[in-house]
């Protein structure tokens, strides 16, 4: 089991590393670049997180997450359309593993993107510190703060989603992150199996809940929205159960 | 599957985890550095702290250093709080409003003049009258962040100012004919009153500011904060029914809204400057005033609102002005009494404790001036522990009733951003 799963996982993840690496690299390099565009106009005291939020970096993050989700759906659909998966599926008991391998690979891709985003935020802070030092040299006033990166991370709702600091935040962020690969893998599978209604309705429901949860976290960061945190796992459980059921029946 | 590809996959995952871990480490590590910690410099015997502990936070709405100072020393830890986004605040009306209104409309003059160059009349009602004090209390109920209900109580205190003043109200009347007196009166009924000659002594404007409303046992009590220039009997009132702001917005200023019951008559009230009212934990009403005869200087009277009896009278500061006390009061209730601080313009505090003893109410800690603006007080066995805001941070002192301060400490803040402040400061007794 382990070796077969590993082989499948390597096919899904390691085999597509070149594509997957594009996402974290874009996040790590473009974020500081966009941040620099925002920070070069800074001539006086400003806060790291406020400059970050006013820069184009959050838009880049939205684009990257959307692109990764699209890529995950596309990869699932393509596997079925070009028939390369049929050989694998003829193996006895390989279907459930294949779905799990796909899901794990997508989670790995998301992990890489997340690390890339964190690296990008860290590099943006370096850009910020550099600009602060420059201003300090010109004006003779030092605006750098102790634990400045930490203070910036704690103050912005977006950062509290990307790098959660309390247990409820960790749980709800994990939910937000895991929804993407789970629903993408399932939706791709359902579309490939021509279950357009089921796949469409399920992914729309998950997307709506996901968007609502994200909105609540961004607009009201002081409290974790419990209704969404409870319903979203139910949808995800249904998606996972349906995926495994489909895999077992192999009805495509 | 090539072996090198497998290794590349594992390496990528490992690298991602390492980057994330390094990021969190870089963010969190400085919070453990000394520059991010509060520093404590203390003087005196630390064992004097024994019955007290100081708790508080330093930070802002998203992150803070929570600290506790006891006889064992200073303990502090970093706390991450959910960030609160700044919302536009409400513009609230002052909860208490004094209005001097004409006592009578006798001898009113009604005039109408054509406004220059237009077909409109400038109409005016002028009254020479005594001023009468109407006291308005407003209560706002904010629920769900936006919906609110405003209740209003307007009491006729019956206090008058002997000097006569000319009041008037005026507006522009769009009409092609000159209005008669009855019409002018009708049109001007809801206009505000302005006064012209000789300002009546304004109520509620003392150098010492404190709340005139006290709530205890589900009842609201209030007292007019007037000085000795006003004539009439001073009462402590109990608020009865109230009106709704929307329904009463058009009522003329002379008209009382709701009901206020004169509960306790203040003896020799016309010989004192009344500052305000405070309710203790056990429901006793403390009236703060400055007297001129007998109990001169800043004093306090304690009343039982159930029986209306005076339970005690304490003299606090011989002369508030000379002692520099002209700021605002802050009260800190505890079992059996309360501690209070008066902030002075110099940035210091006069602190004292009042307690119910076997022989009635006593000053368990006489007034003492301490540096800084008192943020929290607690009294135990005659010792008063006070925490005050200072320029460098906060100061903490344990004072005996008489003599030298037993223990004094300065908590200096780390230079970690100007928006970060001390808050939730509390002194607890054990």
């Amino acid at each position: 089991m382990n070796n077969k799963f590993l082989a499948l996982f390597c096919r899904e993840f390691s085999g597509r590393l070149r594509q997957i690496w594009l996402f974290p690299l874009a996040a790590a390099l473009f974020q500081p670049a966009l941040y620099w565009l925002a920070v070069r106009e800074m001539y006086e005291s400003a806060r790291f997180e406020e400059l970050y939020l006013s820069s184009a970096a959050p838009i880049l993050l939205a684009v990257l997450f959307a692109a990764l989700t699209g890529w995950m759906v596309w990869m699932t659909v393509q596997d079925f359309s070009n028939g390369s998966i049929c050989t694998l599926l003829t193996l006895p008991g390989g279907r459930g593993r294949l779905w799990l391998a796909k899901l794990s690979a997508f989670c790995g891709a998301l992990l890489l993107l997340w690390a890339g985003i964190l690296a990008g935020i860290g590099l943006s802070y370096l850009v910020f510190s550099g600009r602060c030092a420059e201003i300090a040299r010109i004006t003779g006033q030092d605006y750098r703060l102790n634990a400045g990166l930490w203070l910036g991370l704690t103050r912005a709702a977006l950062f509290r989603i990307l790098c959660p600091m309390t247990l409820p935040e960790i749980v709800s962020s994990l939910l937000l992150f895991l929804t993407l690969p789970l629903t993408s893998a399932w939706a791709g599978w359902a579309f490939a199996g021509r279950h357009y209604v089921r796949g469409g309705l399920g992914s729309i429901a998950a997307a709506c809940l996901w968007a609502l949860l994200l909105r609540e976290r961004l607009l009201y960061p002081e409290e974790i929205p419990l209704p969404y945190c409870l319903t979203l796992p139910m949808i995800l459980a249904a998606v996972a159960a349906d995926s495994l059921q489909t895999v077992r029946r192999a009805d495509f | 599957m090539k072996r090198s590809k497998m290794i590349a996959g594992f390496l990528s995952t490992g690298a991602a985890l390492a980057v994330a871990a390094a990021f969190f480490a870089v963010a969190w590590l400085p919070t453990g550095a000394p520059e991010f910690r509060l520093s404590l410099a203390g003087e005196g015997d630390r064992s004097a702290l024994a019955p007290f502990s100081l708790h508080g936070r330093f930070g802002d709405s998203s992150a803070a250093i929570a600290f506790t100072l006891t006889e064992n020393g200073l303990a502090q830890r970093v706390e991450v709080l959910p960030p609160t986004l700044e919302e536009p605040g409400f513009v609230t009306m002052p909860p208490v409003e004094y209005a001097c209104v004409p006592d009578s409309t006798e001898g009113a003059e009604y005039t109408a003049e054509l406004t220059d160059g237009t077909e409109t009349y400038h109409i005016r009602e002028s009254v020479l009258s005594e001023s009468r004090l109407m006291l308005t209390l407003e209560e706002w109920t904010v629920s769900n962040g936006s919906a609110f209900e405003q209740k209003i109580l307007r009491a006729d205190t019956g206090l008058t100012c002997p000097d006569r003043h000319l009041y008037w109200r005026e507006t522009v009347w769009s009409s092609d004919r000159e209005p008669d007196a009855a019409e002018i009166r009708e049109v001007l009924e809801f206009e505000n009153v302005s006064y012209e000659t000789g300002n009546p002594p304004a109520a509620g404007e003392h150098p010492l500011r404190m709340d005139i409303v006290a709530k205890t046992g589900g009842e609201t009590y209030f007292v007019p904060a007037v000085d000795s220039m006003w004539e009439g009997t001073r009462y402590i009132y109990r608020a009865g029914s109230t009106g709704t702001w929307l329904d009463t917005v058009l009522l003329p200023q002379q008209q009382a809204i709701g009901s206020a019951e004169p509960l306790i008559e203040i003896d020799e009230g016309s010989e004192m400057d009344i500052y305000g009212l405070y309710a203790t934990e056990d429901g006793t009403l403390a009236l703060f005033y400055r007297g001129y005869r007998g109990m001169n200087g800043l004093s306090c009277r304690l009343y039982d609102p159930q029986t209306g009896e005076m339970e005690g009278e304490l003299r606090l500061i011989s002369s508030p002005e000379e002692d520099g006390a002209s700021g605002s009061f802050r009260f800190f209730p505890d079992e059996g009494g309360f501690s209070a601080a008066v902030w002075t313009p110099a940035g210091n505090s006069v602190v004292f404790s009042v307690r119910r003893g076997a022989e009635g109410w006593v000053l368990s800690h006489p007034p003492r001036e301490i540096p800084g603006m008192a943020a929290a007080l607690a009294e135990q066995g005659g010792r008063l522990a006070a925490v005050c805001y200072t320029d460098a941070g906060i100061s903490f002192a344990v004072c005996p009733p008489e003599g030298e301060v037993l223990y004094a400490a300065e908590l200096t803040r780390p230079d970690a951003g100007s928006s970060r402040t001390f808050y939730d400061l509390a002194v607890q007794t054990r």
Side-chain angles (χ1 to χ4, degrees):
Chain A
M1 156 78 194
N2 281 339
N3 286 340
K4 280 179 187 167
F5 174 77
L6 211 60
L8 280 172
F9 176 71
C10 285
R11 177 190 174 274
E12 297 290 335
F13 183 66
S14 307
R16 287 164 182 162
L17 263 184
R18 276 188 200 162
Q19 298 165 46
I20 290 172
W21 262 103
L22 286 178
F23 293 98
L25 280 179
L29 298 177
F30 290 151
Q31 271 190 105
L34 292 173
Y35 191 82
W36 179 76
L37 289 178
V39 91
R40 68 182 173 153
E41 300 297 329
M42 177 180 110
Y43 295 108
E44 55 185 16
S45 172
R47 292 213 318 227
F48 167 68
E49 74 281 7
E50 281 174 358
L51 280 171
Y52 182 91
L53 293 177
S54 66
S55 76
I59 299 168
L60 174 76
L61 295 193
V63 170
L64 284 175
F65 274 110
L68 185 72
T69 311
W71 177 83
M72 290 191 283
V73 176
W74 176 247
M75 279 297 121
T76 324
V77 173
Q78 211 189 20
D79 264 358
F80 288 97
S81 54
N82 67 15
S84 70
I85 207 161
C86 293
T87 325
L88 292 161
L89 285 173
T90 51
L91 297 168
R95 291 157 190 148
R97 276 181 216 143
L98 179 65
W99 184 79
L100 276 180
K102 222 173 234 318
L103 183 64
S104 312
F106 289 169
C107 288
L110 196 68
L111 174 73
L112 254 67
L113 174 59
W114 180 60
I117 288 170
L118 293 189
I121 294 172
L123 291 175
S124 301
Y125 189 72
L126 278 184
V127 173
F128 175 75
S129 307
R131 183 67 187 160
C132 283
E134 206 175 316
I135 291 174
R137 191 172 49 77
I138 297 166
T139 63
Q141 285 170 304
D142 196 353
Y143 293 119
R144 278 169 299 175
L145 310 173
N146 300 320
L149 177 59
W150 185 77
L151 286 177
L153 292 181
T154 55
R155 276 177 187 148
L158 178 64
F159 287 155
R160 293 291 277 267
I161 296 174
L162 292 171
C163 15
M165 301 239 182
T166 61
L167 188 63
E169 285 179 350
I170 291 172
V171 171
S172 70
S173 288
L174 213 58
L175 257 180
L176 279 175
F177 283 130
L178 282 182
T179 305
L180 298 180
L182 202 60
T183 318
S184 305
W186 174 75
W189 201 286
F191 289 145
R194 291 180 190 152
H195 298 297
Y196 295 115
V197 176
R198 199 200 304 169
L201 288 180
S203 43
I204 286 171
C208 288
L209 269 172
W210 185 87
L212 284 170
L213 177 57
L214 182 71
R215 176 183 175 274
E216 291 290 306
R217 285 288 309 272
L218 283 175
L219 289 183
Y220 312 105
E222 63 269 31
E223 53 190 57
I224 300 295
L226 264 188
Y228 302 127
C229 286
L230 293 177
T231 35
L232 193 56
M234 284 187 221
I235 296 257
L236 294 187
V239 161
D242 187 60
S243 304
L244 291 174
Q245 182 70 17
T246 314
V247 165
R248 190 170 300 134
R249 287 208 312 269
D251 56 347
F252 43 82
Chain B
M1 177 66 53
K2 281 181 189 170
R3 198 171 178 80
S4 60
K5 268 198 166 179
M6 270 178 72
I7 293 171
F10 283 118
L11 280 179
S12 299
T13 316
L17 288 173
V19 166
F23 177 80
F24 275 91
V26 165
W28 274 87
L29 277 179
T31 63
E35 300 81 40
F36 199 68
R37 305 254 116 183
L38 296 166
S39 51
L40 174 73
E43 283 172 25
D45 182 11
R46 199 190 264 178
S47 62
L49 268 173
F52 301 107
S53 59
L54 167 67
H55 304 269
R57 284 189 172 80
F58 173 78
D60 54 26
S61 62
S62 57
I65 304 169
F67 60 90
T68 306
L69 178 64
T70 60
E71 57 180 317
N72 300 322
L74 179 70
Q76 48 186 321
R77 65 189 160 82
V78 170
E79 231 178 35
V80 179
L81 312 164
T84 46
L85 300 184
E86 283 160 23
E87 285 180 15
F90 282 101
V91 181
T92 52
M93 304 274 285
V96 178
E97 201 175 285
Y98 296 90
C100 305
V101 295
D103 200 18
S104 65
T105 51
E106 279 175 35
E109 271 185 30
Y110 303 100
T111 52
E113 284 174 22
L114 258 180
T115 318
D116 291 341
T118 56
E119 296 292 307
T120 55
Y121 283 90
H122 185 102
I123 57 175
R124 178 173 168 133
E125 177 190 31
S126 315
V127 185
L128 192 65
S129 169
E130 287 192 332
S131 51
R132 189 156 53 96
L133 189 68
M134 302 291 290
L135 188 59
T136 307
L137 307 182
E138 290 175 20
E139 190 174 34
W140 293 61
T141 316
V142 179
S143 57
N144 295 333
S146 57
F148 67 87
E149 186 187 19
Q150 192 187 31
K151 288 181 173 174
I152 191 163
L153 171 68
R154 194 187 288 152
D156 184 352
T157 63
L159 298 174
T160 54
C161 201
D163 300 331
R164 293 178 74 80
H165 301 279
L166 177 65
Y167 293 94
W168 80 88
R169 38 179 138 210
E170 57 194 351
T171 190
V172 173
W173 165 259
S174 299
S175 172
D176 54 356
R177 57 175 185 80
E178 194 175 328
D180 59 23
E183 274 174 326
I184 293 177
R185 203 167 55 230
E186 198 177 317
V187 167
L188 292 176
E189 190 183 351
F190 302 116
E191 292 294 322
N192 285 327
V193 174
S194 309
Y195 52 81
E196 193 171 54
T197 53
N199 291 348
E205 288 184 0
H206 299 302
L208 279 167
R209 286 182 304 276
M210 71 173 285
D211 209 350
I212 64 158
V213 182
K215 289 185 177 182
T216 180
E219 300 279 1
T220 303
Y221 302 90
F222 63 93
V223 66
V226 290
D227 60 22
S228 53
M229 296 290 282
W230 291 82
E231 284 182 357
T233 314
R234 278 83 163 153
Y235 292 100
I236 294 176
Y237 293 87
R238 178 161 62 199
S241 63
T242 53
T244 311
W245 186 76
L246 269 182
D247 297 341
T248 57
V249 67
L250 287 176
L251 290 182
Q253 280 186 312
Q254 291 96 328
Q255 190 165 333
I257 300 170
S259 68
E261 179 195 351
L263 189 70
I264 301 166
E265 186 182 330
I266 301 167
D267 290 339
E268 299 170 358
S270 57
E271 288 164 23
M272 53 175 71
D273 296 350
I274 295 173
Y275 291 132
L277 202 60
Y278 171 75
T280 66
E281 294 250 293
D282 65 354
T284 305
L285 293 177
L287 174 79
F288 283 81
Y289 66 95
R290 181 199 162 143
Y292 293 105
R293 288 187 206 162
M295 299 292 275
N296 61 352
L298 176 64
S299 308
C300 164
R301 275 185 194 173
L302 296 127
Y303 292 96
D304 182 351
Q306 304 302 325
T307 62
E309 280 179 20
M310 189 167 82
E311 294 184 333
E313 187 163 33
L314 301 167
R315 185 170 157 178
L316 301 167
I317 306 170
S318 55
S319 162
E321 282 77 18
E322 279 173 26
D323 289 11
S326 61
S328 50
F329 280 89
R330 300 204 60 187
F331 292 95
F332 305 93
D334 55 24
E335 276 179 34
F338 62 90
S339 302
V342 187
W343 287 4
T344 71
N348 294 335
S349 305
V350 177
V351 294
F352 56 88
S353 282
V354 174
R355 195 166 280 269
R356 192 201 288 270
E359 305 91 34
W361 289 91
V362 289
L363 254 182
S364 57
H365 190 99
R368 169 196 282 267
E369 186 162 348
I370 54 170
M373 291 152 97
L377 299 176
E379 191 258 359
Q380 172 92 9
R383 286 182 183 178
L384 188 71
V387 58
C388 301
Y389 295 111
T390 63
D391 289 340
I394 55 172
S395 70
F396 184 62
V398 179
C399 315
E402 302 272 323
E404 291 284 301
V405 172
L406 294 172
Y407 176 78
E410 290 275 339
L411 267 172
T412 319
R413 63 187 184 195
D415 183 22
S418 55
S419 69
R420 317 195 78 218
T421 50
F422 285 98
Y423 62 97
D424 285 353
L425 291 172
V427 182
Q428 289 178 1
T429 51
R430 285 173 287 160

